[in-house]
Amino acid sequence: MPSAPGPAPYRPETPISPLAEWLADEVAPAAFPETILRFRNDRWAQAVGLDQLSEKDWLGHFGKFQPLAENLATPLALRYHGHQFRVYNPDLGDGRGFLFAQMRDGEGRLLDLGTKGSGQTPWSRAGDGRLTLKGGVREILATEMLEALGVNTSKTLSIVETGEELVRGDEPSPTRSAVMTRLSHGHIRIGTFQRLLTLEDSENMKALVDYCLTEFPGPPPPSEAPGSEQPAVQLMHLVVERLADLAASWMVAGFVHGVLNTDNMNISGESFDYGPWRFLPKWDPKFTAAYFDHGGLYAFGRQPEALHWNCGQLAIALRLIADAPPLIAAMERFGPLYMAAVGKRWCWRLGVESRGAEEDGRLVGACEAKLSASGDQPDAFFHRHRGGRNAEGELGEILSRYRAVEVENDHPYWSESTAESMLIEEVEAIWSAIDQRDDWQPLHDKVDHIRRMGDAHGPAPEPAGNG
């Protein structure tokens, strides 16, 4: 999804409805004691024609979940399975969220409005179906920072405080509660396909493939790819391209998602569902975000491996309706696509023009060596060397062969002494202001600063599979 979208009219459309009988369960939203608007993302609301809603109507739709006009009459909790830390779990599904609405943006793309913290569903298991306010604040910060750094991410559209006190084992309790609405280009997961494989439901698997190809279209597979006439193979190529680029975008952003289970992998290639995320304080492939990831399965440096493994699980599921060799051939593209995407995105962050995969690879290697040796925080590193400046030794020699991107009236952000970052200390300070003094200004200021940084970077490069 591009940044800084243009305004568009509200265009409701619900193509998921014909699939809902076997894909989802109708659910009712929770009734909350209060609905207090805390965050409203009008920059993205305008992209789907919702920016003109009054505060009363906004709270009616995104605090009480009164249906949007000509949209889903009843929310849908999606069904899926998934590998959680490589252990298969068939007892999954939307346990504290649902699909609330679907609509088109100004380019005709389908966008979903989904929730987090909207109450219990048939898939809640022992959970209360709620979201802490701190969790909502962290989601704002994650999505805003990632969007600014060119990552294909869901957008936090709304946070409404709900007036309940929640007990959690991993933060001081009782704590304040909230309900979040996110804007995403789809909510179909790898785990959605895994569920249909377990049920041996080939007919609905075909229908789901068709839905994904229609609503999340992309370039055709390479002309030499075997089986490219098969819809399942076409989808496999698209997902491999998207997840290779997603892995690259996280690495170049210095971002650690924390929980890369197959139920957290969106077929559209969007990053979403931010729990124990972190940004790197220094370049460390072993850095983990989740305190419960004892073996470092989803450590920073293992994220590409994790997404490749998850692509493999999609290939296994698609074996229900396609032959193995073409799916394997699609899988084999992941590594080269990932490396090409890292090089292109690395050059983008440095503000230099790509010189091709081989030379970009040497540049990335030199930068990683410098980062590891210096202990620099990655955001500060990219800022200091913007356009190839301030580089010495081997890094300086390599960067001297690169041409700085020509940007007319280059953004003043690049002349400032410090770079924007999103380290855990700042996240905690922003939350502390809200928690202790109900002071939301530091959050709003940070969002403004992040968006300014995003404007300075400009649009990220297209995924390597797109040309």
Side-chain angles (χ1 to χ4, degrees), residues 340 342-361 363-364 385-388 398-408 461:
V342 167
K344 289 171 67 175
R345 284 180 170 275
W346 202 278
C347 289
W348 172 74
R349 276 210 80 180
L350 277 175
V352 297
E353 295 180 1
S354 170
R355 291 177 58 87
E358 186 174 344
E359 287 202 51
D360 291 351
L363 172 63
V364 172
H385 296 306
R386 178 75 180 182
I398 293 174
L399 269 173
S400 68
R401 299 196 288 270
Y402 278 78
R403 179 180 175 181
V405 174
E406 293 182 3
V407 179
E408 188 176 357

Side-chain angles (χ1 to χ4, degrees), residues 165-244:
E165 292 189 336
L166 304 180
V167 176
R168 294 290 186 266
D170 56 355
E171 62 180 278
S173 298
T175 189
R176 294 156 72 175
S177 59
V179 63
M180 181 189 80
T181 304
R182 68 163 68 97
L183 184 70
S184 295
H185 188 32
H187 280 85
I188 304 299
R189 301 157 167 84
I190 289 177
T192 315
F193 289 85
Q194 291 181 288
R195 174 178 173 270
L196 295 176
L197 173 65
T198 299
L199 298 175
E200 299 182 353
D201 189 347
S202 59
E203 288 306 308
N204 286 329
M205 180 81 82
K206 293 175 184 176
L208 187 59
V209 168
D210 289 343
Y211 176 87
C212 291
L213 289 175
T214 299
E215 301 304 343
F216 320 129
S223 57
E224 70 276 12
S228 58
E229 74 286 351
Q230 300 178 47
V233 174
Q234 295 169 16
L235 181 63
M236 189 70 216
H237 278 277
L238 289 175
V239 173
V240 166
E241 291 169 7
R242 291 162 180 165
L243 293 191

Side-chain angles (χ1 to χ4, degrees), residues 78-82 89-95 189 191-192 195 263:
L78 302 186
R79 305 171 185 173
Y80 43 86
H81 291 182
N89 187 349
D91 189 24
L92 294 176
D94 285 339
R189 301 157 167 84
T192 315
R195 174 178 173 270
D263 56 297

Side-chain angles (χ1 to χ4, degrees), residues 29-39 59 61-65 96 115-119 128-134 136 158-166 168 175-181 431 438 440:
F32 299 114
E34 295 180 297
T35 52
I36 306 168
L37 182 59
R38 295 303 192 183
F39 181 77
L59 289 171
H61 293 308
F62 304 125
K64 301 174 183 176
F65 296 98
R96 57 172 175 166
T115 66
K116 192 174 184 179
S118 50
D128 61 11
R130 269 43 175 193
L131 172 69
T132 66
L133 182 60
K134 183 179 183 181
S158 172
I159 298 288
V160 173
E161 188 167 359
T162 54
E164 296 177 318
E165 292 189 336
L166 304 180
R168 294 290 186 266
T175 189
R176 294 156 72 175
S177 59
V179 63
M180 181 189 80
T181 304
W431 168 245
D438 211 32
W440 291 79

Side-chain angles (χ1 to χ4, degrees), residues 367 369-377 381 384:
C367 288
K370 179 71 172 176
L371 277 161
S372 297
S374 67
D376 285 348
Q377 199 276 326
F381 174 88
R384 186 166 63 253

Side-chain angles (χ1 to χ4, degrees), residues 83-86 246-247 250 255-265 271-272 293 297-300 302-307 309-310:
H83 278 90
Q84 298 188 307
F85 286 84
R86 304 281 166 91
L246 179 61
W250 285 344
F255 178 73
V256 193
H257 185 284
V259 185
L260 302 182
N261 299 331
T262 55
D263 56 297
N264 283 342
M265 292 290 104
S271 178
F272 79 112
D293 186 4
L297 180 64
Y298 298 144
F300 173 64
R302 297 186 69 182
Q303 292 181 126
E305 170 202 339
L307 267 63
W309 191 91
N310 289 339

